């Protein structure tokens, strides 16, 4: 387990060392009043203890991604460990931290409005529609995933359709009520289940002596059963999203930014929650590679079950933790996506409210926005789950790319060290464009053409950024000269 513990150590060092560097670059002010106090409305803006906000943020972002995504990502082999670790420390956690801190800076605004401030009105209008659609897709994805798992636990009692309606009813309450009424109270219980799952599974690895493949030169290859259609780049970087970097997180950080009582807690909540999610993804990737006997056997199980990661999760949890432990572990797996789905609809409501400038105090205003969102979400549940998941994965990483470029522009304008987000932004640009050109849900072009255009687009984006930066300061200098 050398590779596993080395990866775990890097994740922890990322939090204790690199997060402090990012915090210093951001320039937090512990004496500045936060929106939780300056804009308190009793619904979305209200002061909450940082530990409670951390738990809410962690459960918001830890949907099916770090579990199902890590299980699917393990099919590529130990190279998945590299992406989980480097992605979490240098991309995902940085992305989440700045998303939250910029929201605090701009009075709790949603990420779409922040994108508009730094990327222009045209980009803002596009991102409003794109992000709301993504949130509804997330809600639909995180309805069907838990519903299928729950129906598997209750085959003689309730069907998938029954659990879909139960989850929908919960979503409606969590979206409409003040954040401290439902979300702020039940998340600690769900958090215990998720923590139990992660700790219990890693202890089981020790006790039962499973062999986790090590990261070596011989293992630095593509172990996927279908290497031609699933090359490591870009497919792995789309498959493992929430366990490395996820645009969905940028929509969740502003929710917590409206409740944070001090900017000094931002590192713990935003950066810390992403590192915690990276640990969960690391555990699931490690167990998936070892539980069935190896990576080849995992591929065989996934192929035999039509890529259904829920089956893998059921098998592992029940086998390693027993009946009661398996039930608690599966509760964690069910709770994680449900707690992401409810806040997806909640953030969609707030995004719409922000650009409509619609006060959310009166419940009729919340209903006016929420009902159409839920109708759209219900319609999406009628579509094949695997199809929704594929488009969600691409859209999710596209949002992450846009947010990284937004943060980079902000840092450049403030004359801060922008390389911390410029490099991840350029990399994710290459991933997104290559995937869109190569994947079957995209243009199905050859790997050579897709790689060439994807990398060229990333280079052009870099050139455009430096051109923008030079012009920005030139225009700023001219304005100063004219004014003086």
């Amino acid at each position: 387990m050398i590779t596993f513990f080395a990866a775990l150590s890097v994740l922890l060092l990322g939090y204790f060392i690199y997060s402090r560097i990012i915090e210093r670059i951001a320039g937090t002010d512990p004496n500045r009043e936060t929106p939780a106090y300056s804009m308190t409305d009793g619904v979305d803006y209200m002061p909450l203890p940082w530990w409670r906000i951390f738990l809410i943020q962690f459960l918001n972002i830890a949907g099916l991604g770090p579990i199902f995504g890590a299980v699917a990502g393990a099919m590529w082999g130990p190279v998945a460990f590299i992406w989980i670790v480097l992605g979490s420390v240098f991309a995902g956690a940085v992305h989440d931290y700045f998303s939250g801190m910029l929201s605090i800076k701009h009075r709790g605004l949603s990420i779409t409005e922040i994108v508009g401030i730094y990327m222009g009105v045209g980009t803002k209008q596009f991102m409003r529609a794109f992000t709301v659609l993504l949130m509804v897709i997330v809600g639909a994805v995180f309805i069907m995933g838990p519903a299928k798992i729950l129906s598997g636990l209750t085959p003689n009692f309730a069907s998938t359709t029954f659990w879909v309606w139960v989850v929908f009813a919960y979503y409606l309450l969590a979206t409409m009520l003040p954040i401290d009424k439902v979300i702020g109270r039940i998340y600690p219980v769900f958090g215990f289940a998720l923590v139990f799952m992660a700790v219990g599974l890693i202890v089981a690895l020790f006790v039962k002596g499973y062999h986790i493949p090590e990261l070596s030169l011989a293992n630095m290859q593509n172990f996927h059963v279908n290497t031609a259609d699933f090359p490591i780049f870009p497919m792995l970087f789309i498959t493992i999203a929430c366990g490395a970097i996820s645009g969905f997180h940028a929509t969740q950080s502003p929710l917590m930014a409206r409740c944070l009582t001090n900017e000094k807690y931002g590192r713990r909540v935003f950066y810390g929650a992403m590192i915690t999610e990276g640990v969960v993804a690391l555990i699931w990737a490690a167990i998936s590679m070892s539980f069935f006997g190896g990576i080849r056997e995992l591929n065989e199980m996934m192929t035999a079950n039509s890529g259904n990661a829920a089956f893998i999760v059921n098998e592992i949890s029940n086998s390693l933790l027993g009946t009661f432990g398996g039930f608690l572990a599966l509760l964690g797996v069910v709770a994680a996506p449900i707690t992401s789905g409810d806040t997806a609809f909640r953030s969609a409501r707030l995004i719409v409210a922000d650009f409509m400038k619609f006060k959310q105090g009166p419940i009729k205003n919340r209903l006016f926005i929420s009902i159409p969102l839920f109708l759209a979400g219900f319609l999406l549940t009628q579509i094949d789950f695997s199809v929704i998941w594929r488009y969600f994965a691409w859209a999710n990483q596209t949002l992450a790319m846009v947010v990284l470029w937004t943060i980079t522009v902000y840092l450049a304008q403030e004359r801060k060290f922008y390389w911390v987000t410029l490099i991840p932004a350029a990399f994710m640009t290459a991933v997104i464009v290559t995937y869109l050109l190569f994947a079957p849900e995209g243009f199905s072009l050859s790997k050579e053409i897709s790689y060439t255009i994807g990398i060229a687009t990333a280079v052009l984006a870099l050139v455009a950024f430096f051109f923008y930066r030079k012009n920005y300061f030139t225009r700023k200098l001219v304005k100063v000269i004219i004014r003086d």
Side-chain angles (χ1 to χ4, degrees), residues 7 37 84 135 151 163 205 240 285 288 290 430 455:
Y37 291 115
I84 290 172
M135 290 304 93
S151 65
W163 286 113
L205 281 179
I240 300 181
S288 300
S290 58
I455 294 172

Side-chain angles (χ1 to χ4, degrees), residues 40-41 62 97 103 131 134 168 181 183 222 260 276 282 296 309 331 397 445 451:
T40 303
D41 65 358
Y97 176 78
S103 182
T131 307
L134 175 62
F168 247 123
K181 299 303 181 185
I183 292 174
N222 188 348
L260 209 65
T276 306
L282 182 69
R296 181 175 60 82
L331 178 60
Q397 297 302 69
L445 299 179
Y451 279 21

Side-chain angles (χ1 to χ4, degrees), residues 192-203:
F192 167 76
L194 199 58
V195 170
F196 175 88
M197 171 204 70
V199 174
L201 289 173
I202 200 61
V203 169

